[in-house]
Amino acid sequence: MGILLLIVRVLLAAVFAVAGLAKLADREGSRKSMVDFGAPAFLGRPLAWLVPLAELACAAALLWTPWSPWGAGGLLAMLIVFSAAMAIVLARGRRPDCHCFGQLHASPIGAETLARNAVLSALAAFVWWQGPQPVNAAALWSTLSQTQSILPAVVVLLAVLQAAQLWILFNVMRQNGRLMLRVEEIESKGGKAKSQQREPTGLKVGTPAPAFSLPAVDGGTVTLDSLLAVNKRILLFFNEPSCGPCNTMLPDVARWQAEHAERLLIVSISRGDLEANRARNAEHNLRRVLLQTDREVEQAYKVVATPTAVLIDDGTILSRLAEGFQEIQALVAQAVLPPPLKRGEPVPSLPLSDLDGKIVDLATLRGRRTLLLFWNPSCGFCQRMLKDLKKFEQNPPVDAPDLLVISQGTPEAIREDGFRSTVLVDQDSAAAKTFGTYATPTAVVVDEEGRLASAVGEGASAVLALAKPVPATNGRPA
């Protein structure tokens, strides 16, 4: 029993020494994990220090016989608390990452995590139950057969390797910490912004779109001039059958072709075998598919990878190259937006959802002057004028316009600002672009007939000026 107890003590000490050091090297991940498992947010940072230090202390105690029951008892108590917290979180249908070994191994918790904790708890309970039994290594060795003596040798070898691993881990983590500090220093000086900026690719906006003449998959020849004759904006979608991301996008491209047919002409430019292209396009009901011989059109438009798209209007380049799904999706959304409203024009149909999910169409604004306030809860300038806006909401002047807030951000963040007025969510800024505004806080006035009645007011003073009552003339506001 003595040799078994020694093996279990060494094993537990090694596991929790690694876990403690790894948690110390990933304190932010440990803090987040503590909060995810139900600890109050203000305790997250202290626990990110205390838990790994407690694990290291228990691991050290296990290696000293008089203190081994205390080390095992401490680990058993922590394992019980951890397992209970995990079981509660799993019962609520959540699976946060368990940073049990810091960045060495972080994965969502599950039944296997509870099973692992159960095994470690049983081992810790065994050591605690056995108590501080002294282990006479020489006496134990003399009682073992030649075959049995191999096992302690293996344990000693593993312990040496584990100690070497811990030393290497500690030095790697310390070096990693120095590197992270250096990265933070560079980022604080603007290095992050520079590294994340991607140089615009493709032809310059405003230059003539290169002409082309290509065979269509469905037969015939299509030229750029014939596409321009349709008198719509044109989006060229460059792709090819061997491109996985391109094939993944085909259902979306087909949907965009159908949904935006009135405003946008989406043309797919592919290459390769005619029958292969015909088969994949038929599968997704893709229309207007043209084939290059090689990459001659891609080269003319300076395309270097697929999937890529570019927007053309009236024979000129209207955008730089959009590369990948997200950029192409954003380019399609931009392409189908109507031109910014001019003063006196009626507000078009713009359905937006309020904070409870109810749809409100801006085209239905009638009967009262309305101040459309474009807002973002994360905008510092917005927050500075929030107090004045709340005063306006609480006691609006007679004949002042109704306030309608059109905000970016999540419903939760918007609710924290505490508006009494109706708030509509405009995540992709479609409404803001329709009214020709690209900043916050800004505002416009819509008159009683649903027409744009003001220029865009930018900044707190301009917004509050638009909120003032309009003098009446012959019983009607001027």
Side-chain angles (χ1 to χ4, degrees):
M1 184 65 73
I3 189 65
L4 177 62
L5 179 61
L6 177 62
I7 293 173
V8 172
R9 283 167 50 189
V10 172
L11 176 63
L12 284 174
V15 169
F16 283 93
V18 171
L21 288 175
K23 285 190 182 76
L24 286 177
D26 183 28
R27 290 192 300 277
E28 182 56 31
S30 298
R31 181 201 65 77
K32 184 178 183 301
S33 180
M34 301 296 176
V35 175
D36 288 343
F37 287 127
F42 71 92
L43 287 179
R45 201 165 298 280
L47 287 174
W49 279 100
L50 293 175
V51 170
L53 291 177
E55 290 177 339
L56 290 173
C58 291
L62 283 169
L63 298 178
W64 191 28
T65 298
W67 284 15
S68 59
W70 293 99
L75 293 180
L76 179 61
M78 285 191 289
L79 286 166
I80 291 173
V81 173
F82 295 160
S83 299
M86 290 178 183
I88 293 172
V89 171
L90 287 171
R92 292 175 177 173
R94 296 172 51 229
R95 295 189 62 194
D97 281 349
C98 172
H99 286 261
C100 304
F101 293 91
Q103 293 182 343
L104 296 179
H105 180 69
S107 60
I109 63 170
E112 64 279 3
T113 315
L114 293 176
R116 181 190 65 201
N117 283 3
V119 172
L120 293 173
S121 298
L123 295 176
F126 170 73
V127 174
W128 175 77
W129 174 59
Q130 288 296 311
Q133 293 186 16
V135 179
N136 190 329
L140 286 173
W141 188 272
S142 63
T143 62
L144 297 177
S145 65
Q146 184 176 3
T147 303
Q148 291 174 331
S149 64
I150 296 176
L151 181 59
V154 171
V155 172
V156 171
L157 176 62
L158 289 176
V160 172
L161 291 176
Q162 188 66 58
Q165 181 183 4
L166 289 175
W167 181 85
I168 294 171
L169 175 65
F170 175 77
N171 283 276
V172 168
M173 292 302 182
R174 185 172 60 177
Q175 179 66 20
N176 183 66
R178 288 197 292 265
L179 290 174
M180 290 304 296
L181 289 175
R182 179 58 181 158
V183 169
E184 289 177 1
E185 179 184 352
I186 294 173
E187 288 179 354
S188 67
K189 296 179 180 178
K192 181 178 180 181
K194 292 180 181 178
S195 66
Q196 290 181 343
Q197 288 177 350
R198 181 168 63 85
E199 288 295 325
T201 56
L203 301 173
K204 290 184 179 180
V205 174
T207 59
F212 55 79
S213 177
L214 296 174
V217 168
D218 296 332
T221 300
V222 176
T223 66
L224 177 61
D225 288 338
S226 65
L227 294 174
L228 293 173
V230 180
N231 200 26
K232 296 177 184 177
R233 287 182 173 181
I234 301 169
L235 185 134
L236 300 182
F237 171 61
F238 295 95
N239 65 101
E240 55 184 80
S242 61
C243 167
C246 301
N247 295 329
T248 302
M249 282 190 62
L250 291 184
D252 296 286
V253 174
R255 176 172 55 82
W256 294 334
Q257 284 183 330
E259 290 180 355
H260 306 307
E262 293 184 1
R263 290 183 170 223
L264 184 64
L265 196 66
I266 300 180
V267 180
S268 172
I269 298 183
S270 183
R271 60 186 294 270
D273 182 70
L274 173 63
E275 293 304 322
N277 276 279
R278 185 173 289 167
R280 73 172 187 142
N281 296 327
E283 178 184 355
H284 302 290
N285 196 27
L286 202 66
R287 294 169 289 173
R288 293 182 295 277
V289 181
L290 312 181
L291 287 184
Q292 309 172 88
T293 303
D294 189 14
R295 290 188 173 89
E296 63 273 17
V297 181
E298 291 181 7
Q299 291 172 358
Y301 283 82
K302 297 188 177 181
V303 174
V304 296
T306 55
T308 294
V310 65
L311 191 60
I312 300 172
D313 189 20
D314 196 23
T316 60
I317 300 295
L318 197 61
S319 74
R320 304 307 289 262
L321 294 180
E323 300 174 348
F325 175 77
Q326 291 186 342
E327 290 189 8
I328 294 174
Q329 183 183 43
L331 183 59
V332 171
Q334 173 190 333
V336 298
L337 283 176
L341 282 179
K342 296 179 181 178
R343 194 165 181 171
E345 291 183 339
V347 176
S349 177
L350 280 170
L352 299 173
S353 64
D354 65 14
L355 297 181
D356 297 319
K358 179 182 176 183
I359 301 299
V360 177
D361 194 336
L362 295 186
T364 62
L365 298 176
R366 295 288 191 277
R368 287 275 299 170
R369 289 175 68 85
T370 305
L371 178 70
L372 303 185
L373 170 63
F374 297 95
W375 189 262
N376 190 330
S378 64
C379 163
F381 295 104
C382 295
Q383 294 301 320
R384 290 177 193 174
M385 69 172 300
L386 183 58
K387 185 176 180 181
D388 292 328
L389 283 173
K390 289 185 175 180
K391 288 182 180 179
F392 172 82
E393 285 187 310
Q394 293 171 359
N395 189 24
V398 178
D399 294 328
D402 294 339
L403 177 63
L404 178 63
V405 181
I406 300 178
S407 181
Q408 300 176 42
T410 64
E412 294 76 16
I414 298 169
R415 280 194 176 96
E416 290 182 2
D417 287 338
F419 284 109
R420 292 185 176 186
S421 307
T422 300
V423 180
L424 304 180
V425 181
D426 186 28
Q427 290 287 21
D428 57 2
S429 302
K433 293 174 183 176
T434 298
F435 288 92
T437 175
Y438 300 90
T440 54
T442 53
V444 296
V445 174
V446 176
D447 66 17
E448 298 86 349
E449 297 178 356
R451 297 178 180 274
L452 181 61
S454 75
V456 176
E458 298 184 1
S461 59
V463 170
L464 295 174
L466 290 175
K468 293 180 179 178
V470 176
T473 302
N474 296 326
R476 293 186 61 186

